[in-house]
Structures are given as structure tokens and as C-alpha cells.
Amino acid sequence: MLYELVVPVGRLWFRVFFRLHVIGLENVPRHGPGLVCGNHCSYLDPMLAAVALPRKIYNVSRKEIYQLPLLGPVIRRLGAVRIDRESLADKGALQEVLAIMDHGDLCMIYPEGTRSPDGCLQDPHNGAAFLAVKSGAPVVPMAIIGSYECWPRQRRVARVGRITVRIGQPVTYHLPPEHESHREDLTVISIDIMSRIRTLQEQGHA
């Protein structure tokens, strides 16, 4: 119930203060599971995922964000999955995400693992690739453009600006069962996911 109440208000807030523009909504699966993978450079990103997409989405968020006095309680109530970024193999969180997608829902994960310090794409971890292969769900690349300028990690509060979200075509990754946990194979997929996000970013800056 809270999700249905907060998201429309959030959409209006983002349109008024950040002139939010979303491109590529047709690429989001209307039914069934999906793993949305996006760049991460601002506290605004988890809220952006909720207001930009046409379906409810569960955000994978680092545990520290729950300590924030305003964002923490809201994000938790909106269906965030808490992950320990100090443990690169937080099996509990990964299993929770797989269970959510097994029920046919959307999950949002940031392959970089944490906010970019300069707004540029960082090297990815393999968590997103592992979830994509293990679930068999389509990966939907998403580039968030402008959130760093509005609220970089160096600032205490956000400032008004323009944010664009570009959503790419879904892609499904497969590996033989015996390779699903091989770091080398997962790294190849992680790099491909980030390459798709980078392409969307470049299209937005063109």
C-alpha cells in the first residue's frame, strides 16, 4: 500500500524539481521476472528506479543507507533488499533477490556496488552477473544521467537539476551449470552489462 501511495508523489516531485525524463519504457518486461542493472552515483538512484519504471521494483541497497534518517525508513518500506557490501558474497541477500524474481517480480541492482565518487562508471562486481545467470531472468540495462550533478556523494543535500533515465533492450545470459560460479565467466557478463549501460549514457550525452 505504501508503495502505491509514495510512488505517484515521488514521480511528481522528480518531474518538478529534476525535470525527470524517461526513455525506453517499452523495454521493461510488463510481466515476469527481470533484473534491472543501472549505474550508481547518487542517493537519488534507488528512488529514481521506483518512480521511473512502470512496475514495482525491489532495490538492492547497501546496509548503510538504512541508517539515514529520512531515506532509510522510506527505502526499507518500499521493498529494499539489504546487502552487506563488505561481504562481496552476501549469500542471504542474493538468495532473497533470487526468491523475489522467482515470484515474477523486478529487482534493481547496481553492478558497481557503491556510488561513483566522480560520476563516472566504476569497475563492476559479479553479483549482478551471478543473479542474471542463476535466475535466467532478462537483464534490463538502465543509465541514470544527471543524478550525480543533482546529488553527488560529496553533498549533504540535493540541488535541483535535470535527470534523464534511459532504458535499454533486455538481454538474457546463460552459462552451463558447472560455470555459473566461475569468476572468469561472470566477469565477462559483468563487463557486457556495464558496456550496455555505458552505451545508454553516451546516447544521452550525444
Side-chain angles (χ1 to χ4, degrees):
M1 177 65 72
L2 180 63
Y3 195 96
E4 286 73 17
L5 293 174
V6 171
V7 168
V9 175
R11 286 195 180 111
L12 178 61
W13 185 71
F14 272 99
R15 287 170 182 166
V16 171
F17 292 101
F18 303 105
R19 293 175 285 167
L20 176 63
H21 183 46
V22 183
I23 301 170
L25 283 175
E26 68 277 5
N27 293 319
V28 180
R30 291 300 186 264
H31 306 283
L35 184 66
V36 181
C37 293
N39 57 309
H40 191 21
C41 50
S42 173
Y43 278 132
L44 294 170
D45 297 338
M47 294 183 288
L48 274 166
V51 303
L53 298 175
R55 293 175 54 189
K56 180 174 181 178
I57 190 163
Y58 293 82
N59 266 283
V60 179
S61 303
R62 62 188 178 88
K63 65 178 184 179
E64 289 84 359
I65 204 167
Y66 290 83
Q67 301 170 2
L68 297 174
L70 295 178
L71 288 178
V74 173
I75 291 174
R76 181 170 57 249
R77 291 177 181 273
L78 289 180
V81 178
R82 176 174 174 171
I83 192 167
D84 185 355
R85 70 175 183 177
E86 299 300 327
S87 174
L88 298 182
D90 188 339
K91 295 181 179 179
L94 295 177
Q95 289 301 321
E96 185 176 351
V97 174
L98 288 173
I100 290 171
M101 289 193 289
D102 189 53
H103 281 87
D105 292 314
L106 286 179
C107 279
M108 175 85 197
I109 190 169
Y110 307 97
E112 298 161 285
T114 188
R115 286 169 298 150
S116 168
D118 56 9
C120 298
L121 293 182
Q122 309 297 299
D123 292 334
H125 298 297
N126 284 337
F130 172 81
L131 291 169
V133 170
K134 204 70 175 176
S135 68
V139 170
V140 182
M142 186 174 87
I144 301 173
I145 303 163
S147 66
Y148 175 79
E149 289 74 14
C150 292
W151 199 356
R153 63 188 305 169
Q154 299 87 355
R155 286 182 60 89
R156 290 185 176 273
V157 295
R159 55 191 170 195
V160 296
R162 181 177 180 84
I163 296 176
T164 300
V165 173
R166 299 185 70 96
I167 303 168
Q169 294 183 348
V171 57
T172 304
Y173 298 96
H174 299 287
L175 286 175
E178 63 272 17
H179 287 257
E180 288 182 350
S181 297
H182 284 195
R183 178 176 297 177
E184 295 81 5
D185 296 314
L186 293 176
T187 297
V188 171
I189 294 175
S190 298
I191 292 172
D192 185 70
I193 293 173
M194 294 305 295
S195 175
R196 294 172 185 272
I197 295 171
R198 181 177 291 105
T199 297
L200 291 169
Q201 274 191 328
E202 292 171 350
Q203 291 172 353
H205 289 131

